[in-house]
């Protein structure tokens, strides 16, 4: 069965989703081959970037032996699981089918750099991008030894960078270092390195839990202090608002009292002229009433005196109208006689004219 060496360099990631509240994430990547030989699919860890936060830089080399036929038939894939050292949380993952990366069968020294979108475990897009480079080696047979290839194991000098280490080195790590110096020649360096690596992996989980608890305590303490500061700030602002509100109420009461006093004085000032005006109106009405009484006493006798000559004048007027009517009737009769005489004269003239025309 033909195998090919796949050399991957996990370079960096960019704009990853932040999964911690306050502290830095310290991301690292777990790289594995899915769907192939279990001996070649054991995961490998990159170093932990303690300063890059959401945009870490690793530049960590990884090597895998993959079955060429399975890779070309789209049965294999390389998976990058990006995790956070703080709390060992998942940030995202990238799965790339090896059929997209497989190259020619000839030995190739050409290095390809690619960028992929970081996704959630469900396959939906997530925030961030992953940059890595890869290179294919020649077709070869898989190494004879059982278990993972020495190529896939990191060098012991890389353990400190590869595994999340606590702030203080534990007694187990010191013991393994001393034991490696004493027994390295007896059991073989490669096997002892594998044992040391596995023991460190198992012991690092305890360190990770302790660091997670410590980080959680620190974040809780900082968050509690921040909440206390916010509460004190809110209390100060509340007391300031309460003081301003009390000052506003006092000012409103003072304005109300001043307005009441001003209104009472204004009403008093208006009440005196109104009373004076009412008295003057009553006096004027009394004078009018008296004047009306005097006028009535003067007019009534005059009306009686005027009624007496009115009867005599009426009889005289009637006689004058009768005499005027008689005069007008006599004059009308005389005028009618004159008009008749004139018409007769006109008729005679017409008859003379007609006779003249006939002759």
């Amino acid at each position: 069965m033909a195998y090919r060496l796949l050399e991957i360099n996990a370079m960096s990631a960019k704009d990853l989703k932040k999964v911690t509240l306050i502290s830095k994430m310290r991301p690292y990547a777990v790289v594995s081959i899915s769907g192939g030989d279990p001996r070649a699919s054991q995961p490998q860890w990159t170093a932990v970037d303690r300063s890059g936060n959401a945009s870490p830089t690793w530049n960590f080399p990884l090597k895998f032996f993959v079955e060429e036929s399975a890779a070309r038939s789209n049965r294999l894939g390389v998976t990058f699981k990006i995790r956070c050292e703080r709390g060992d949380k998942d940030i995202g993952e990238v799965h790339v089918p090896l059929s997209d990366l497989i190259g020619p069968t000839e030995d190739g020294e050409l290095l390809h750099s690619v960028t992929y979108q970081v996704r959630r475990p469900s396959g939906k897009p997530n925030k961030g991008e992953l940059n890595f480079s890869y290179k294919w080696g020649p077709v070869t047979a898989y190494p004879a030894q059982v278990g993972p290839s020495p190529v896939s194991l990191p060098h012991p000098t890389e353990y400190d960078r590869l595994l999340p280490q606590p702030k203080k080195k534990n007694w187990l790590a010191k013991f393994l270092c001393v034991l490696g110096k004493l027994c390295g020649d007896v059991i073989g360096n490669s096997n002892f390195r594998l044992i040391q690596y596995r023991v460190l992996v198992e012991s690092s989980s305890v360190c990770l839990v302790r660091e997670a608890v410590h980080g959680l305590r620190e974040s809780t303490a900082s968050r509690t202090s921040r909440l206390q500061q916010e509460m004190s700030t809110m209390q100060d602002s509340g007391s300031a608002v309460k003081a301003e509100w009390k000052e506003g109420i006092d000012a409103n009461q003072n304005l109300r009292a001043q307005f009441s006093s001003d209104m009472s004085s204004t009403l008093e000032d208006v009440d005196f002229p109104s009373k004076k005006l009412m008295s003057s109106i009553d006096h004027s009405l009394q004078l009018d009433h008296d004047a009306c009484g005097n006028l009535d006493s003067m007019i009534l006798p005059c009306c009686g005196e005027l009624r007496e000559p009115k009867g005599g004048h009426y009889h005289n007027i009637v006689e004058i109208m009768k005499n005027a009517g008689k005069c007008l009737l006599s004059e009308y009769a005389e005028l009618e006689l004159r008009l008749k005489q004139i018409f007769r004269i006109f008729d005679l003239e017409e008859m003379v004219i007609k006779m003249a025309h006939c002759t």
Side-chain angles (χ1 to χ4, degrees), residues 8-20:
I8 296 176
N9 183 19
M11 294 189 294
S12 62
K14 181 180 179 182
D15 297 332
L16 296 176
K17 181 180 178 182
K18 190 171 178 62
V19 295
T20 56

Side-chain angles (χ1 to χ4, degrees), residues 159 163-166 168-176 195-211:
Y159 289 158
L163 295 174
Q165 297 292 333
K168 294 183 179 179
K169 201 169 184 180
N170 57 5
W171 62 273
L172 184 59
K174 295 180 180 179
F175 175 74
L176 288 175
I195 294 171
Q196 185 181 16
Y197 180 70
R198 289 180 177 176
V199 171
L200 283 175
V201 169
E202 293 175 0
S203 63
S204 62
S205 61
V206 179
C207 300
L208 285 174
V209 171
R210 290 177 181 175
E211 284 196 356

Side-chain angles (χ1 to χ4, degrees), residues 3 37-40 42 65 141-153 190-191 194:
Y3 288 86
D37 192 343
R39 296 179 298 173
Q42 290 191 2
F65 279 100
Y142 197 76
Q145 66 266 20
V146 180
S149 172
V151 179
S152 62
L153 292 176
S190 60
N191 294 329
L194 178 60

Side-chain angles (χ1 to χ4, degrees), residues 31 34 48 56 66 100 104 125 140 221 234 268 272 313 322 350 352:
V31 188
S34 59
V48 177
V66 297
D100 296 344
T140 181
M234 291 174 66
E268 290 176 357
F272 178 72
H313 289 299
K322 287 180 179 180
E350 288 180 357
V352 171

Side-chain angles (χ1 to χ4, degrees), residues 299-313:
I299 290 171
L300 289 175
C302 293
C303 288
E305 292 177 356
L306 288 172
R307 285 172 186 168
E308 293 178 356
K310 184 178 180 181
H313 289 299

Side-chain angles (χ1 to χ4, degrees), residues 63-302:
K63 294 182 180 181
F64 297 94
F65 279 100
V66 297
E67 185 181 352
E68 186 180 15
S69 59
R72 292 187 180 277
S73 60
N74 199 16
R75 287 185 293 152
L76 301 180
V78 58
T79 302
F80 296 82
K81 292 185 179 180
I82 305 174
R83 301 178 63 85
C84 172
E85 184 189 23
R86 289 285 187 181
D88 201 21
K89 298 179 181 179
D90 290 328
I91 301 174
E93 65 180 35
V94 175
H95 180 76
V96 183
L98 288 184
S99 58
D100 296 344
L101 307 179
I102 193 69
T105 57
E106 294 81 7
D107 298 347
E109 295 295 333
L110 185 60
L111 191 66
H112 302 275
S113 298
V114 290
T115 300
Y116 283 88
Q117 175 75 35
V118 178
R119 296 183 177 272
R120 299 176 184 176
S122 60
K124 295 182 179 180
N126 199 356
K127 186 179 180 183
E129 296 178 349
L130 175 69
N131 303 316
F132 69 93
S133 60
Y134 67 94
K135 182 175 67 171
W136 290 94
V139 178
T140 181
Y142 197 76
Q145 66 266 20
V146 180
S149 172
V151 179
S152 62
L153 292 176
H155 195 270
T157 57
E158 299 291 337
Y159 289 158
D160 293 336
R161 291 197 305 116
L162 192 97
L163 295 174
Q165 297 292 333
K167 295 181 179 179
K168 294 183 179 179
K169 201 169 184 180
N170 57 5
W171 62 273
L172 184 59
K174 295 180 180 179
F175 175 74
L176 288 175
C177 291
V178 175
L179 186 63
K181 292 179 180 179
L182 296 176
C183 303
D185 297 333
V186 178
I187 62 176
N189 290 329
S190 60
N191 294 329
F192 181 74
R193 288 171 185 173
L194 178 60
I195 294 171
Q196 185 181 16
Y197 180 70
R198 289 180 177 176
V199 171
L200 283 175
V201 169
E202 293 175 0
S203 63
S204 62
S205 61
V206 179
C207 300
L208 285 174
V209 171
R210 290 177 181 175
E211 284 196 356
V213 172
H214 182 67
L216 184 61
R217 287 177 180 175
E218 289 181 353
S219 62
T220 305
S222 62
R223 193 169 183 180
T224 305
S225 62
R226 184 185 297 177
L227 289 175
Q228 289 177 354
Q229 291 177 359
E230 292 179 356
M231 286 293 294
S232 62
T233 305
M234 291 174 66
Q235 289 177 357
D236 295 338
S237 61
S239 59
V241 170
K242 187 176 181 181
E244 292 179 358
W245 180 66
K246 190 174 181 180
E247 290 178 359
I249 290 177
D250 295 337
N252 190 11
Q253 290 179 354
N254 294 331
L255 288 173
R256 184 180 294 178
Q258 186 177 359
F259 179 74
S260 299
S261 61
D262 293 339
M263 284 296 295
S264 59
S265 61
T266 304
L267 290 174
E268 290 176 357
D269 294 340
V270 172
D271 191 23
F272 178 72
S274 62
K275 289 180 179 179
K276 190 174 181 181
L277 180 62
M278 290 296 292
S279 63
S280 63
I281 290 172
D282 292 338
H283 183 64
S284 300
L285 290 173
Q286 186 65 34
L287 291 176
D288 292 339
H289 184 68
D290 297 338
C292 287
N294 294 330
L295 289 173
D296 289 338
S297 62
M298 293 173 64
I299 290 171
L300 289 175
C302 293

